[in-house]
């Protein structure tokens, strides 16, 4: 009985410390915009740590406490944003770490939770608050488009203005079509980034028995991505307008996966071609902005995925 009371007391103290830490991180995230991205990605870690050590009920208690305190400081909407995305991500990571779930499944579980939270927040913004949402409906994007078009005459005129308007229209159409892809990509990024930061933080704390993603040079994605991409191309050819929205998002997702696998190959290359080590970061940056280099990295990823080039060489 005494051991149980002592354990509960320890959990209560730890929960209080984690709650205070998350609230401080929230404060820094809201009032220091330049650091907000990194700070918000740190928020899941105290919650995950508590869930890993004391159980899921305590991580839920901390998330609820953070929601109440953040509502006092920043308002209900801002608090809901923090807790729905980063709080629930921390709860999910804590569950996975406690039960030794594999790193890949932890990544997927975290991404699914973040995706559901983003969709729920989009619905709440649109239907409960009556505000424009970038996720549902085109009103939010239309306002951005109108704002951009209004500012163009301040910088361009004549033929240059017409070309700028065409580029804005093309960009906004692409953004509107790619909302599902963007949501999935952001969800996986949040999940991966929090896991990566957690790996470093927990290692500093002496915690090494949590699932770790493999080094970037060993990243491999399912070969089924190739089949899915071929199916998307076939659907676009035979059905065109009927599947254009779905095909566009699935195709973009597949190309992004090929690009990531191509970058992974670049990171592996110094094992066989040492001269590539100083070039790989330069190529990665250029591939984000220059189409030709991006296509090279994409085809590199496709070739490696199809032939299992690195895996056959045991990544040596």
């Amino acid at each position: 009985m005494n051991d149980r009371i002592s354990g509960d007391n320890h959990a209560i103290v730890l929960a209080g410390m984690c709650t205070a830490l998350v609230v401080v991180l929230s404060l820094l995230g809201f009032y220091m915009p330049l650091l907000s991205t990194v700070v918000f990605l740190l928020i899941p870690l105290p919650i995950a740590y508590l869930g890993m050590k004391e159980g899921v009920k305590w991580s839920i208690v901390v998330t609820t406490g953070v929601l109440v305190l953040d509502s006092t400081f920043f308002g209900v909407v801002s608090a809901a944003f923090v807790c729905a995305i980063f709080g629930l991500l921390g709860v999910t990571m804590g569950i996975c770490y406690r039960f030794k779930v594999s790193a890949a499944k932890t990544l997927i579980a975290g991404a699914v939770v973040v995706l559901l939270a983003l969709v729920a927040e989009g619905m709440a913004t649109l239907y409960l608050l009556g505000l424009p949402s970038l996720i549902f409906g085109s009103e939010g994007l239309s306002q951005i488009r109108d704002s951009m078009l209004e500012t163009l005459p301040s910088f361009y005129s004549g033929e240059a203005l017409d070309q700028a308007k065409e580029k804005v229209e093309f960009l906004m159409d692409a953004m509107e079509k790619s909302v599902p892809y963007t949501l999935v990509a952001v969800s996986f990024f949040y999940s991966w980034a929090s896991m990566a930061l957690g790996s470093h933080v927990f290692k500093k704390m002496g915690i090494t028995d949590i699932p770790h993603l493999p080094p970037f040079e060993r990243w491999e994605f399912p070969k089924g991505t190739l089949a899915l991409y071929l199916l998307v191309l076939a659907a676009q050819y035979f059905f065109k307008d009927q599947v254009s929205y779905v095909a566009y998002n699935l195709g973009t997702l597949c190309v992004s996966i090929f690009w990531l696998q191509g970058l992974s190959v670049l990171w592996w290359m110094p094992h066989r071609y040492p001269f590539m080590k100083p070039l790989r970061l330069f190529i990665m940056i250029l591939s984000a902005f220059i189409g030709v280099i991006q296509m090279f990295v994409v085809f590199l990823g496709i070739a490696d995925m199809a032939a299992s080039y690195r895996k056959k060489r045991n990544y040596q």
Side-chain angles (χ1 to χ4, degrees):
M1 175 68 74
N2 290 334
D3 290 341
R4 180 177 178 181
I5 294 174
S6 177
D8 287 344
N9 288 339
H10 179 267
I12 291 171
V13 172
L14 192 58
M17 294 172 61
C18 290
T19 302
L21 180 56
V22 173
V23 172
V24 170
L25 289 172
S26 301
L27 181 69
L28 293 174
F30 282 119
Y31 291 107
M32 300 181 69
L34 294 178
L35 300 177
S36 62
T37 300
V38 176
V39 170
F40 281 137
L41 291 172
L42 289 171
I43 286 177
L45 303 189
I47 300 172
Y49 175 78
L50 185 65
M52 175 173 56
K53 291 296 184 181
E54 302 296 341
V56 63
K57 72 175 183 179
W58 288 105
S59 60
I60 293 175
V61 167
V62 168
T63 304
T64 305
V66 170
L67 176 61
V68 173
L69 292 173
D70 277 2
S71 297
T72 303
F73 295 126
F74 315 116
V76 176
V77 175
S78 298
F81 164 78
V82 170
C83 292
I85 297 177
F86 301 104
L88 293 181
L89 176 58
V91 172
T92 305
M93 290 170 59
I95 294 172
C96 293
Y97 289 165
R98 185 174 180 84
F99 294 101
K100 308 301 181 185
V101 178
S102 69
K105 291 180 180 179
T106 302
L107 174 68
I108 294 172
V112 169
V113 168
V114 173
L115 179 61
L116 292 176
L118 288 171
V119 172
E121 287 187 352
M123 293 178 66
T125 300
L126 184 64
Y127 296 111
L128 296 181
L129 301 179
L131 299 175
S133 171
L134 295 179
I135 299 176
F136 298 101
S138 58
E139 185 179 351
L141 289 173
S142 296
Q143 290 182 359
I144 296 175
R145 176 190 281 109
D146 294 340
S147 177
M148 293 177 68
L149 291 175
E150 288 175 1
T151 59
L152 288 179
S154 302
F155 301 95
Y156 302 96
S157 61
E159 185 176 347
L161 177 61
D162 294 335
Q163 292 177 352
K165 287 182 177 180
E166 289 180 2
K167 291 180 180 179
V168 168
E169 293 290 349
F170 176 81
L171 175 64
M172 297 308 300
D173 287 342
M175 287 178 61
E176 188 172 352
K177 288 173 61 178
S178 62
V179 167
Y181 161 78
T182 303
L183 287 174
V184 172
V186 168
S187 299
F188 272 96
F189 172 76
Y190 281 169
S191 183
W192 166 80
S194 289
M195 287 181 65
L197 288 171
S199 178
H200 290 289
V201 171
F202 293 147
K203 186 176 181 180
K204 294 288 185 181
M205 298 171 62
I207 302 172
T208 57
D209 59 343
I210 61 174
H212 296 280
L213 291 169
F216 187 43
E217 65 184 36
R218 289 176 175 249
W219 280 22
E220 285 196 25
F221 294 90
K223 288 190 175 183
T225 309
L226 290 169
L228 177 60
Y229 189 60
L230 292 175
L231 182 63
V232 167
L233 293 178
Q236 287 179 320
Y237 180 79
F238 289 106
F239 300 102
K240 296 181 180 179
D241 294 339
Q242 293 91 328
V243 297
S244 61
Y245 186 71
V246 175
Y248 179 84
N249 283 276
L250 287 177
T252 304
L253 179 62
C254 290
V255 171
S256 298
I257 291 173
F258 298 147
W259 179 67
L260 285 174
Q261 180 134 347
L263 292 178
S264 179
V265 175
L266 284 176
W267 248 248
W268 165 84
M269 276 187 171
H271 287 291
R272 295 184 67 87
Y273 312 104
F275 70 90
M276 286 297 297
K277 190 169 184 178
L279 297 177
R280 58 189 184 182
L281 181 61
F282 183 64
I283 295 174
M284 182 187 75
I285 294 173
L286 290 180
S287 70
F289 301 99
I290 301 177
V292 174
I293 297 178
Q294 185 180 88
M295 285 297 100
F296 166 75
V297 176
V298 167
F299 285 125
L300 192 64
I302 291 174
D304 181 70
M305 186 179 292
S308 299
Y309 182 80
R310 289 173 298 157
K311 192 171 185 179
K312 289 179 179 178
R313 286 153 182 78
N314 196 28
Y315 301 97
Q316 299 298 320

